[in-house]
Amino acid sequence: MKNIYQLLCAAAVFLCTSALFSQSTIKGKIIGSDFSEPLPGANIIEKGTSNGTTTDFDGNFTITTQATSGELVITYVGYTTQTITFSGDQDFGVITLESSEVGLQEVQIIASVAVDRKTPVAVSTVKAEEIALKLSTQEFPEILKSTPGVYATRAGGGYGDGRINLRGFDSENVAVMINGVPVNDMENGRVYWSNWAGLGDVTSTMQVQRGLGASKVAVPSVGGTINIITKSTDAEAGGNIISSIGNNGYLKYGMTYSTGLTSKGFAATVSAAKISGDGYVDGTEFSGFNYFVSLSQQLNDKNRLTFSAFGAQQEHGQRYNRSTISELQATESGPRRANKDWGYKNGEVYHQSFNFYHKPQLSLNHLWEINDNSALSTALYASFGSGGGRRDEGNKIGASDYRIGSSGLQPIDFDRIVDENIANGASGSTDIISSSRNSHEWYGILSTYKNSLSDNLTISGGLDTRYYIGSHWYEVDDLLGGQFFLDNESDTFAYGKPLKVGDRYNKDYDGIVLRYGLFGQAEYQLTDDLNFFLAADVSNSNYKKKEFMNSEITGSRTSDAVDFLGFGVKGGGNYNLDVNNNVFVNVGYFSKAPFVISVFLDEDTLDANKDATNEKVFSVEVGYGFRGEKLSANVNLYRTSWLDKAINGSYPGATPEADRIYYNLTGMDALHQGIEIDLRYRLSDDLTFTGMASIGDWKWKSDVSAIIRDQDGEEIDVVDVFAKDLKVGDAAQTTFALGANYRFADRSRIYLDYNYAGNMYSSYLVTSRGSADLPDTWETPAYGLFDIGVSHTFDLGSFEAVLNGKINNVFNTEYISDSNDVDGTAASALVYYGAGRTYSVGLKLNF
């Protein structure tokens, strides 16, 4: 018996020793070829087994294999799969994964993508995988709501009507670029997200650079830069089919196909999707068609051409006019869904507020790799927008007496208005539906030259030129049963004429912008751990206006050109204290031209605003970063002084029947300062926690006067605006977020996010700030929302299938997302409520 026992022990030792010696320990660091940045979360699998691991925040990995020799398969979304052979213990050092998309290099040169622990800016990056996991039925800007300094809402709740603020600055002062090409409106700086409704389907990477940012274009932003890099042309053949459903009749389906890179250097990717739904808010039905095309041709070893086209043709009902809290809570639909801007006509839904637009953007990119050290990337781009937003004339549409029911927020009774217009006979319509039409042609060239003069010094520079002509007019859409409509604006040629459907009236003019500039930047790597950069730009903005509606002449008349010379300079440095810690600082000053709408105040005249002047911005920021095996964290402090800002906007009249009031303020000063913290902690390969806190102190610092105009552009009054020391409104000054992402199976994930918004003040009513003794604007109640989602990948025949499910606002929290102040109290504030619980379920089949 003793001999048998000894024999079993010897066998056990032998087996354990054999297993031990048959294992290998493999190490390495995985980076991407496009950014030369680490790829955290890359998957490393021992081929033929389920044994695997993922990279940490710095792209590092260690895996103990089950065999002494074999192959490791490395995968990461957006990069081609790489297989490496190992034999025994090995340290592979840096392993570079090639991008699975052709044409990204030229885009990244133009787009000024920030590099972690090198570019001295505060930056957050969202990858395509996270967008696919979390976007759901949310507006595209909402995917950034857990980013420090960001406040994003759906505004009125219509499809594509979302908005985003960055460090308290609205979209007019946040540069939004798609593949390095600016998309902010050339006349007012705004971003209309409905024009880009399909971005969630084609975005490869979205990077938010807060503050001065790394963008080199000649017209810098104030609050920051949102850099959206779309998919280019896939290097591998294949595609996918998608379909998803959601609350309130949400339906989306589409397809993507890629030819892959052929032996002759050609590749093509096309994508299209159809979307429709009833909308969460009453009267916000929507439909749209999104498309994306990318064609790439490698001309030779040094030259490549890439053509891309994308856009979204859409139409949707809107909730344009805000209401008081008591009005909203008294409705049958409830405060979150109630909408005063729609009704019924002939038994069908009919909208008072309605938007329709199509803005395709075309781009031709050329990359010339001159030699190993230098490259020239040039983008020629154009966009052609056409569409508008619905308006109404008369005093019945929207009035309480012309609604179905007793409440002022019940649906509009358009049938009654039609009957009364018919009864008017030869007197014509008292009320009609028209539209404010906007079309534009936009052409530009953005060219960047980059040269690594030495191992330490890299210079870049280029030109940014844009030409834009925007046409704006009112057009009769629906006479609502009447024979004609008489325009009552006496200083236009349409005055007193019987207008029919399709006739123009009220306004008809072109805004013309020519902007051209130069930019340059030098980056110096003093040591492996210390680098500096210095950038400068200069640009000229040339504005003109061409008017067609004036009653005094036949034909058109053109204003004198008005020029504004702008410039900017910024610099900074990053110091890597060690492999884990780094600090950075950046400082900048720039002078930027006002927008066209601040230069030509009246739609009917050509007179330039003599008070229009450049806005000045001085900003300074310091930051600290930590990168560990499990913890990644950032802390940023910023202070931005803004002088001579021009502000334009509108608000409802004193009664439902009254026209909207429009205002223009010049010479506003503001101070935005705060602290931001974000972190990511990987508890294990399967479980990751994220967190963010942002505390701002944003105040107006001056008192000014404002010009008040009616809907026809006529000056009503000039009022004093005592705004000094008021809190900047329209965005939460305190936000924080917590999140968890858990891989509960090899191909399955679940996430839970919590987002809090507080210290949020209403935007003030210009005509109600006529005294220095008035209280601060109304502070809206703080709120917190939970979102949850799950993703499961499985094989369905020959397809790889991905099933996603998401619920936003899990606990159906009731909250106010946007508010306009009237007298500092909640009772009079005009508000939008945010959406309640929403959901979606989607399926993607990859082939």
Side-chain angles (χ1 to χ4, degrees):
M1 180 67 70
K2 182 176 180 181
N3 291 334
I4 295 175
Y5 176 75
Q6 290 175 337
L7 183 62
L8 289 174
C9 289
V13 171
F14 174 77
L15 290 173
C16 292
T17 305
S18 297
L20 181 64
F21 282 101
S22 67
Q23 295 176 338
S24 295
T25 301
I26 310 299
K27 298 179 180 180
K29 179 174 183 176
I30 299 175
I31 67 172
S33 62
D34 42 11
F35 303 125
S36 294
E37 277 195 302
L39 298 179
N43 294 303
I44 301 95
I45 302 293
E46 183 179 0
K47 191 172 182 178
T49 74
S50 60
N51 179 38
T53 188
T54 59
T55 54
D56 63 17
F57 299 114
D58 291 322
N60 297 312
F61 74 91
T62 299
I63 182 172
T64 301
T65 64
Q66 295 178 356
T68 306
S69 61
E71 293 180 324
L72 295 180
V73 180
I74 305 172
T75 59
Y76 193 84
V77 175
Y79 295 83
T80 56
T81 299
Q82 185 169 339
T83 302
I84 59 175
T85 301
F86 67 89
S87 179
D89 296 342
Q90 283 184 260
D91 186 344
F92 282 95
V94 174
I95 302 169
T96 302
L97 295 189
E98 295 297 325
S99 171
S100 62
E101 299 175 42
V102 180
L104 273 183
Q105 184 179 354
E106 51 266 48
V107 168
Q108 288 154 1
I109 292 174
I110 290 175
S112 305
V113 176
V115 178
D116 188 42
R117 286 172 55 89
K118 184 176 181 181
T119 310
V121 299
V123 61
S124 300
T125 302
V126 181
K127 297 281 190 178
E129 188 176 28
E130 184 174 353
I131 295 173
L133 181 64
K134 296 185 177 182
L135 184 57
S136 183
T137 58
Q138 297 182 100
E139 293 292 295
F140 189 69
E142 290 184 280
I143 199 69
L144 298 173
K145 62 187 178 184
S146 296
T147 302
V150 166
Y151 183 70
T153 81
R154 301 187 187 193
Y159 174 69
D161 289 342
R163 67 180 183 90
I164 188 169
N165 289 57
L166 189 52
R167 289 184 173 175
F169 299 100
D170 53 23
S171 65
E172 289 94 325
N173 300 285
V174 175
V176 178
M177 299 193 296
I178 300 176
N179 295 334
V181 174
V183 298
N184 297 72
D185 189 278
M186 289 283 284
E187 294 183 85
N188 57 34
R190 296 171 188 152
V191 177
Y192 301 98
W193 292 101
S194 58
N195 297 342
W196 315 105
L199 271 178
D201 298 332
V202 299
T203 296
S204 174
T205 301
M206 180 160 50
Q207 191 176 79
V208 180
Q209 300 173 7
R210 305 184 295 278
L212 294 175
S215 173
K216 297 185 284 288
V217 295
V219 183
S221 63
V222 182
T225 301
I226 300 176
N227 242 334
I228 301 168
I229 308 297
T230 68
K231 298 175 182 177
S232 55
T233 311
D234 291 328
E236 298 177 336
N240 61 70
I241 301 170
I242 63 167
S243 180
S244 59
I245 59 173
N247 56 277
N248 300 99
Y250 178 92
L251 173 64
K252 181 177 182 179
Y253 53 90
M255 180 176 180
T256 298
Y257 176 71
S258 300
T259 65
L261 187 61
T262 69
S263 59
K264 295 184 178 181
F266 174 78
T269 296
V270 295
S271 178
K274 182 72 172 67
I275 187 171
S276 62
D278 297 328
Y280 182 85
V281 175
D282 292 343
T284 56
E285 296 80 6
F286 64 91
S287 65
F289 174 72
N290 315 323
Y291 57 89
F292 171 80
V293 177
S294 181
L295 310 174
S296 179
Q297 178 64 56
Q298 188 76 39
L299 302 177
N300 52 45
D301 290 343
K302 295 185 177 296
N303 292 271
R304 181 169 61 235
L305 281 177
T306 302
F307 170 79
S308 64
F310 58 93
Q313 186 175 18
Q314 60 79 34
E315 58 181 29
H316 66 280
Q318 294 182 294
R319 179 171 58 177
Y320 185 64
N321 291 294
R322 306 187 189 202
S323 303
T324 65
I325 297 172
S326 60
E327 287 175 332
L328 291 166
Q329 291 183 338
T331 61
E332 294 179 6
S333 298
R336 291 181 289 206
R337 298 183 186 270
N339 178 14
K340 63 174 68 174
D341 297 337
W342 72 286
Y344 289 99
K345 178 188 173 188
N346 197 27
E348 297 182 353
V349 171
Y350 196 75
H351 301 90
Q352 176 188 6
S353 296
F354 187 78
N355 179 271
F356 53 98
Y357 215 80
H358 183 207
K359 179 188 169 73
Q361 178 151 312
L362 315 176
S363 179
L364 181 65
N365 290 58
H366 174 245
L367 175 64
W368 178 23
E369 296 182 280
I370 302 169
N371 53 46
D372 291 341
N373 298 320
S374 61
L376 177 66
S377 183
T378 302
L380 297 172
Y381 62 91
S383 69
F384 308 95
S386 178
R390 188 166 288 176
R391 299 290 185 268
D392 61 90
E393 298 290 345
N395 57 16
K396 297 177 182 178
I397 299 174
S400 298
D401 292 342
Y402 287 83
R403 292 189 179 271
I404 304 172
S406 57
S407 169
L409 270 72
Q410 294 297 317
I412 299 168
D413 189 351
F414 284 103
D415 289 330
R416 180 182 171 189
I417 298 171
V418 168
D419 291 341
E420 292 180 1
N421 281 342
I422 293 174
N424 287 337
S427 298
S429 298
T430 60
D431 290 70
I432 65 168
I433 290 293
S434 60
S435 57
S436 177
R437 298 293 181 110
N438 301 282
S439 68
H440 74 252
E441 297 179 16
W442 184 348
Y443 307 94
I445 179 172
L446 185 57
S447 186
T448 302
Y449 172 74
K450 187 174 184 179
N451 192 329
S452 299
L453 298 177
S454 68
D455 292 340
N456 303 99
L457 179 62
T458 300
I459 62 169
S460 58
L463 61 90
D464 175 13
T465 300
R466 319 174 200 177
Y467 173 77
Y468 170 98
I469 178 168
S471 301
H472 313 279
W473 70 93
Y474 274 14
E475 182 175 312
V476 178
D477 288 344
D478 189 345
L479 292 169
L480 295 178
Q483 299 178 18
F484 59 86
F485 175 73
L486 296 177
D487 184 21
N488 60 6
E489 188 173 358
S490 60
D491 60 350
T492 70
F493 75 72
Y495 175 68
K497 295 181 180 179
L499 301 176
K500 301 284 189 175
V501 172
D503 288 342
R504 297 187 182 193
Y505 74 103
N506 187 280
K507 68 177 182 180
D508 189 0
Y509 71 92
D510 293 343
I512 304 169
V513 181
L514 174 62
R515 183 174 292 155
Y516 47 91
L518 300 172
F519 55 88
Q521 179 170 297
E523 301 173 70
Y524 187 70
Q525 191 79 34
L526 183 63
T527 68
D528 289 341
D529 298 318
L530 179 62
N531 68 282
F532 300 96
F533 88 98
L534 180 65
D537 63 80
V538 61
S539 64
N540 186 73
S541 297
N542 178 278
Y543 299 149
K544 287 195 297 186
K545 181 180 176 183
K546 192 173 184 178
E547 204 269 336
F548 304 92
M549 187 58 72
N550 191 272
S551 61
E552 299 176 359
I553 61 172
T554 301
S556 64
R557 55 193 185 125
T558 304
S559 73
D560 294 331
V562 183
D563 289 277
F564 293 89
L565 183 66
F567 67 91
V569 60
K570 59 185 176 182
N574 178 84
Y575 180 50
N576 295 329
L577 302 171
D578 53 37
V579 295
N580 300 117
N581 300 275
N582 73 289
V583 293
F584 73 83
V585 62
N586 66 56
V587 181
Y589 175 85
F590 58 85
S591 174
K592 65 188 288 283
F595 295 119
V596 174
I597 57 174
S598 299
V599 176
F600 298 106
L601 302 179
D602 193 332
E603 294 175 338
D604 297 329
T605 69
L606 303 179
D607 298 329
N609 178 14
K610 65 180 185 301
D611 295 325
T613 185
N614 277 18
E615 300 176 11
K616 295 89 175 174
V617 177
F618 175 75
S619 182
V620 60
E621 180 166 0
V622 295
Y624 164 76
F626 175 82
R627 300 293 181 271
E629 181 180 353
K630 291 186 175 294
L631 176 66
S632 170
N634 300 286
V635 181
N636 303 292
L637 293 166
Y638 66 90
R639 180 183 174 91
T640 301
S641 297
W642 195 4
L643 307 177
D644 294 324
K645 173 176 170 51
I647 303 176
N648 304 274
S650 68
Y651 54 88
T655 66
E657 296 81 10
D659 289 337
R660 293 187 71 84
I661 303 299
Y662 295 81
Y663 59 86
N664 181 280
L665 289 78
T666 57
M668 290 291 293
D669 298 339
L671 176 64
H672 293 237
Q673 56 188 356
I675 182 172
E676 299 164 342
I677 302 170
D678 65 278
L679 58 89
R680 179 182 295 266
Y681 181 72
R682 192 177 71 162
L683 183 64
S684 67
D685 289 347
D686 298 324
L687 180 59
T688 300
F689 294 99
T690 57
M692 176 277 292
S694 179
I695 302 173
D697 181 19
W698 314 325
K699 290 182 178 181
W700 296 110
K701 304 303 290 184
S702 62
D703 300 323
V704 297
S705 60
I707 300 173
I708 308 299
R709 300 178 185 274
D710 62 19
Q711 187 167 292
D712 298 327
E714 297 295 328
E715 184 174 316
I716 300 174
D717 198 4
V718 177
V719 298
D720 291 326
V721 180
F722 290 88
K724 187 176 181 180
D725 292 328
L726 283 182
K727 294 282 190 177
V728 172
D730 255 357
Q733 301 204 20
T734 299
T735 59
F736 67 79
L738 294 172
N741 190 308
Y742 178 58
R743 185 174 65 181
F744 60 89
D746 285 345
R747 306 171 75 186
S748 303
R749 286 189 175 276
I750 186 172
Y751 76 87
L752 176 67
D753 287 339
Y754 174 75
N755 286 274
Y756 169 89
N759 195 23
M760 182 170 64
Y761 290 82
S762 308
S763 58
Y764 59 79
L765 185 65
V766 170
T767 54
S768 297
R769 306 305 305 184
S771 170
D773 298 326
L774 291 172
D776 209 333
T777 53
W778 179 59
E779 182 179 358
T780 62
Y783 65 89
L785 306 177
F786 283 90
D787 299 333
I788 192 170
V790 63
S791 175
H792 174 59
T793 302
F794 59 98
D795 293 327
L796 185 63
S798 59
F799 297 98
E800 178 190 67
V802 183
L803 181 65
N804 286 310
K806 304 115 179 176
I807 302 175
N808 298 112
N809 192 1
V810 174
F811 298 108
N812 206 28
T813 301
E814 188 174 278
Y815 64 99
I816 294 170
S817 61
D818 307 71
S819 62
N820 289 343
D821 182 73
V822 176
D823 61 8
T825 66
S828 60
L830 301 173
V831 306
Y832 290 142
Y833 276 77
R837 184 186 298 114
T838 60
Y839 69 88
S840 72
V841 177
L843 177 67
K844 176 189 284 189
L845 299 178
N846 296 314
F847 59 88

